[in-house]
């Protein structure tokens, strides 16, 4: 399935201009299992090193704490996120939303410039699949040819042993990954409790681990490349994100065509492609990169390594398949910083600036005060009016804070309906209700704007705004307020 449009080169090549199904699905709609040959070459070596860095980061980050907090936590059930040691709550949703928008713009810019570099080099799915599970599979079952033979062979002791070993190893690895994955959601301390305390106390946590393990095992043992070619939304967006100037893994059809077998064709009569199919045999998504940029290409560079090796073997220059843009291949142009990229860069700088301002002005203690729903005001004797309020406070610090509320810049009193101060636990929420009582003579509008200060001792932590509803005081009417309320 070509992405079509401007970046497809397939029309140029030997009349194979269209494919109406996934490379991994046959004409009857059945799955073509991919037996990818083990890549070997410069890019594969570098990718292996990158994967080791990734594994070190992935398996060590949950243990890193900053000021008693994990460096990263994505606690979706409790809607609590910790990023670089800073806690974000639902009240920070605008920061979260803006971060998402900034991230999407970054993805668009990055993809417009560098194609699927992310997928091939640092996407966790690719790294776990190609650098962990696939390597383990090569170790147990052998390279692609041996795997095919094993698949077709009868169920001998050898086959049962190899298949069982592989699936047990795959499940154990998935179990380990699931544990670490969960630690990014609930934190490593909670995970340790699930592991060390009686199962009956953590049935939910244990169930989550087993579900995650099952999903990872299913993905890496069976679903595999389909995660990239069928499920991943980023992969499916490539057709609109890439253009003729994007850097992609590309076949140089100008140099390679007309392709022909090396031995049969003397030099000069054919292009540099010797039609050895090595680039196809190593491809984890089973596509032929010579047919142009395709949705299934994850940019893994395995075909570059395979082709460079063949070129070396026939004494031709490397780079028949290489990182290049479509314009680079067609017209010999160098990679360019295009107007589209400049636009996205400007947008990204603006969004990042705005995000920085929001992050810097973010409060450690924040809250909301609203008048209790369904209640008007209450008259307190003949000279005052009260309103009932609910307050919700978020404490993003790592210390418990007892808070008191004071009316700022308005004469009046606060009567606490529940307790004398509101205790807000560290990284938690506190709530309460209270009355504000104002003298009639200061109620000059139906909705009077009030400022409330939240104090820890005598230190003001933050200021909140709310409205006070009451009858408007009219001195000309003998000092009596007008309007209806309840007696308090
Ligand atoms: S075409 Fe090449 S870069 Fe793309 S997925 Fe296949 S081997 Fe990897
Ligand atoms: S590996 Fe290179 S030479 Fe061989 S078929 Fe692919 S593009 Fe042609």
């Amino acid at each position: 399935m070509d992405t079509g449009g401007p970046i497809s080169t397939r029309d140029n090549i030997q009349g194979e201009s269209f494919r109406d199904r996934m490379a991994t699905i046959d004409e009857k709609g059945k799955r073509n299992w991919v037996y990818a040959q083990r890549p070997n070459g410069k890019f594969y070596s570098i990718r292996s090193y990158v994967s080791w860095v990734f594994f070190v980061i992935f398996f060590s980050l949950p243990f890193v704490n900053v000021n008693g907090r994990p460096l990263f936590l994505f606690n979706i059930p409790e809607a609590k996120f910790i990023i670089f040691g800073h806690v974000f709550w639902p009240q920070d949703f605008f920061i979260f939303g803006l971060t998402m928008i900034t991230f999407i713009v970054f993805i668009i810019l990055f993809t417009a410039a560098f194609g699927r570099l992310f997928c091939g080099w640092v996407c966790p799915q690719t790294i776990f699949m190609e650098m962990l599970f696939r390597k383990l599979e090569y170790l147990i079952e052998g390279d692609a040819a041996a795997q095919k033979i094993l698949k077709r062979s009868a169920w001998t002791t050898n086959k049962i042993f190899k298949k069982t070993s592989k699936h047990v190893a795959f499940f154990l690895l998935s179990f380990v990954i699931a544990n670490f994955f969960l630690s990014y959601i609930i934190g490593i301390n909670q995970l340790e409790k699930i592991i060390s305390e009686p199962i009956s106390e953590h049935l939910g946590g244990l169930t989550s681990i087993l579900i995650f393990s099952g999903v990872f095992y299913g993905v890496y043992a069976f679903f595999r490349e389909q995660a990239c070619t069928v499920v991943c939304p980023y992969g499916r967006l490539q057709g609109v994100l890439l253009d003729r100037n994007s850097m992609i893994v590309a076949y140089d059809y100008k140099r390679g065509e007309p392709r022909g077998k090396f031995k049969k064709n003397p030099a000069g009569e054919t292009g540099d492609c010797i039609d050895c199919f090595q680039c196809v045999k190593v491809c984890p998504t089973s596509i032929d990169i010579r047919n142009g940029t395709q949705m299934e290409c994850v940019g893994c560079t395995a075909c570059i390594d395979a082709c460079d090796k063949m070129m070396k073997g026939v004494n031709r220059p490397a780079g028949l398949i290489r990182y290049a843009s479509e314009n680079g291949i067609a017209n010999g142009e160098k990679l360019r910083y295009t107007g589209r990229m400049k636009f996205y860069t400007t947008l990204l700088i603006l969004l990042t600036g705005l995000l920085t301002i929001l992050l810097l002005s973010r409060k450690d203690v924040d809250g909301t005060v609203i008048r209790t729903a369904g209640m008007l005001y209450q008259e307190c004797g003949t000279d005052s009016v009260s309103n009932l309020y609910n307050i919700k406070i978020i404490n993003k610090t790592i210390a418990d804070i007892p808070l008191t509320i004071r009316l700022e810049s308005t004469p009046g009193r606060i009567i606490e309906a529940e307790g004398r101060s509101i205790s807000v636990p560290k990284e938690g929420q506190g709530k309460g209700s209270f009355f504000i009582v104002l003298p009639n003579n200061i109620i000059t509008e139906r909705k009077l704007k009030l400022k409330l200060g939240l104090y820890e001792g005598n230190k003001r932590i933050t200021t909140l705004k709310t409205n006070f509803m009451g009858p408007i005081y009219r001195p000309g009417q003998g000092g009596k307020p007008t309007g209806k309320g309840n007696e308090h």
Side-chain angles (χ1 to χ4, degrees), residues 313-364:
V314 296
N315 214 15
R316 290 177 188 172
L320 180 57
I321 301 174
R322 61 180 183 274
Y323 276 122
S325 69
E326 171 58 17
N327 274 340
I329 300 285
N331 313 319
E333 289 176 16
K334 288 192 174 159
L335 290 170
R336 288 193 301 124
Y337 186 55
T338 61
R340 181 182 172 215
M341 293 177 201
K342 284 177 192 163
F343 171 73
Y344 288 139
T345 308
T346 311
L347 198 58
L348 190 62
I349 291 169
L350 289 175
L351 285 169
T352 311
L354 188 58
L355 194 60
T356 311
I357 292 169
L358 284 175
L359 283 172
L360 290 177
S361 58
R362 183 174 162 271
K363 296 173 185 168
D364 275 346

Side-chain angles (χ1 to χ4, degrees), residues 68 129 140 205 306 320 355 391 402 436 477:
M129 182 69 240
I140 297 171
L320 180 57
L355 194 60
I391 185 167
I436 294 181
Q477 293 172 354

Side-chain angles (χ1 to χ4, degrees), residues 139-442:
L139 194 71
I140 297 171
E141 292 190 350
D143 207 343
Q147 288 175 25
K148 278 187 207 167
I149 293 169
L150 190 69
K151 164 91 174 153
R152 290 195 204 110
S153 70
W155 282 96
T156 58
T157 314
N158 179 46
K159 180 168 175 174
I160 292 170
F161 175 73
K162 284 188 172 174
K163 287 287 177 193
T164 310
S165 310
K166 177 179 123 174
H167 285 282
V168 168
F170 270 34
F171 187 80
L172 289 178
L173 258 184
S174 302
F175 183 74
V176 173
I177 294 170
N179 273 270
F180 278 86
F181 184 75
L182 193 65
S183 72
Y184 280 92
I185 298 173
I186 60 172
I188 199 77
N189 295 339
Q190 190 61 24
L191 180 70
E192 276 171 15
K193 282 184 188 166
I194 294 175
I195 294 169
S196 58
E197 291 178 1
I199 290 175
S200 55
E201 288 177 25
H202 298 284
L203 279 179
L206 192 71
T207 310
S208 305
I209 292 176
L210 290 177
I211 290 173
F212 284 140
S213 305
V215 170
F216 287 131
Y217 169 69
V219 166
Y220 295 116
F222 305 106
F223 201 54
R224 301 186 151 212
E225 77 288 339
Q226 307 286 305
C228 306
T229 58
V230 177
V231 175
C232 177
Y234 179 58
R236 302 194 73 91
L237 278 174
Q238 296 302 307
V240 289
L241 296 179
L242 297 178
D243 64 22
R244 295 177 69 93
N245 293 301
S246 306
M247 187 184 85
I248 49 172
V249 173
Y251 165 67
D252 187 343
Y253 51 88
K254 287 216 155 177
R255 185 185 137 192
E257 300 299 316
R259 67 188 75 160
K261 296 290 178 198
F262 177 65
K263 285 179 187 163
K264 289 181 187 167
N265 298 287
E269 288 184 13
T270 59
D272 277 351
C273 174
I274 57 171
D275 212 13
C276 64
F277 277 89
Q278 283 307 307
C279 50
V280 183
K281 287 178 183 164
V282 293
C283 179
T285 60
S286 196
I287 59 169
D288 187 341
I289 192 66
R290 295 173 300 168
N291 295 334
T293 304
Q294 291 145 80
M295 188 193 72
E296 296 104 316
C297 175
V298 293
C300 73
T301 69
C303 53
I304 301 182
D305 279 336
C307 190
D308 281 352
K309 196 172 167 194
M310 297 315 293
M311 289 296 103
K312 192 175 176 196
V314 296
N315 214 15
R316 290 177 188 172
L320 180 57
I321 301 174
R322 61 180 183 274
Y323 276 122
S325 69
E326 171 58 17
N327 274 340
I329 300 285
N331 313 319
E333 289 176 16
K334 288 192 174 159
L335 290 170
R336 288 193 301 124
Y337 186 55
T338 61
R340 181 182 172 215
M341 293 177 201
K342 284 177 192 163
F343 171 73
Y344 288 139
T345 308
T346 311
L347 198 58
L348 190 62
I349 291 169
L350 289 175
L351 285 169
T352 311
L354 188 58
L355 194 60
T356 311
I357 292 169
L358 284 175
L359 283 172
L360 290 177
S361 58
R362 183 174 162 271
K363 296 173 185 168
D364 275 346
V365 175
D366 208 352
T368 47
V369 183
I370 47 170
R371 283 194 317 105
T372 304
M375 293 193 75
L376 288 174
Y377 58 85
Q378 298 82 40
E379 288 179 5
C380 305
T382 54
D383 62 348
S384 324
V385 173
S386 73
N387 278 192
L388 179 62
Y389 292 86
N390 291 329
I391 185 167
K392 208 172 186 183
I393 305 167
I394 299 284
N395 177 4
K396 300 168 193 168
T397 70
I398 51 168
D400 299 343
I401 306 181
L403 288 172
T404 48
I405 310 160
R406 293 185 199 171
L407 255 180
E408 306 274 22
S409 67
T410 310
R413 288 177 297 137
I414 291 187
I415 301 172
E416 288 152 64
E418 288 178 6
R420 298 212 50 80
S421 66
I422 300 165
S423 172
V424 194
K426 62 180 180 180
E427 295 179 5
Q429 303 185 35
K431 55 185 175 180
S433 353
F434 56 89
F435 285 103
I436 294 181
V437 184
L438 296 186
N440 289 340
N441 59 2
I442 66 160

Side-chain angles (χ1 to χ4, degrees), residues 443-455:
I443 307 170
T444 51
E445 48 192 308
R446 192 154 178 79
K447 273 192 174 183
L448 193 66
K449 288 188 176 20
L450 294 183
K451 271 189 192 169
L452 300 174
L454 291 185
Y455 283 79

Side-chain angles (χ1 to χ4, degrees), residues 97-151:
L98 195 66
T99 307
M100 285 293 115
I101 293 170
T102 310
F103 183 65
I104 289 168
V105 173
F106 170 75
I107 296 261
I108 294 172
L109 170 66
F110 188 84
T111 311
F114 301 109
R116 294 188 79 168
L117 203 65
F118 169 83
C119 304
W121 289 81
V122 285
C123 172
Q125 163 67 18
T126 311
I127 290 192
F128 279 125
M129 182 69 240
E130 300 305 323
M131 296 294 161
L132 204 55
F133 288 90
R134 186 94 66 185
K135 282 183 176 177
L136 198 61
E137 192 171 57
Y138 290 137
L139 194 71
I140 297 171
E141 292 190 350
D143 207 343
Q147 288 175 25
K148 278 187 207 167
I149 293 169
L150 190 69
K151 164 91 174 153

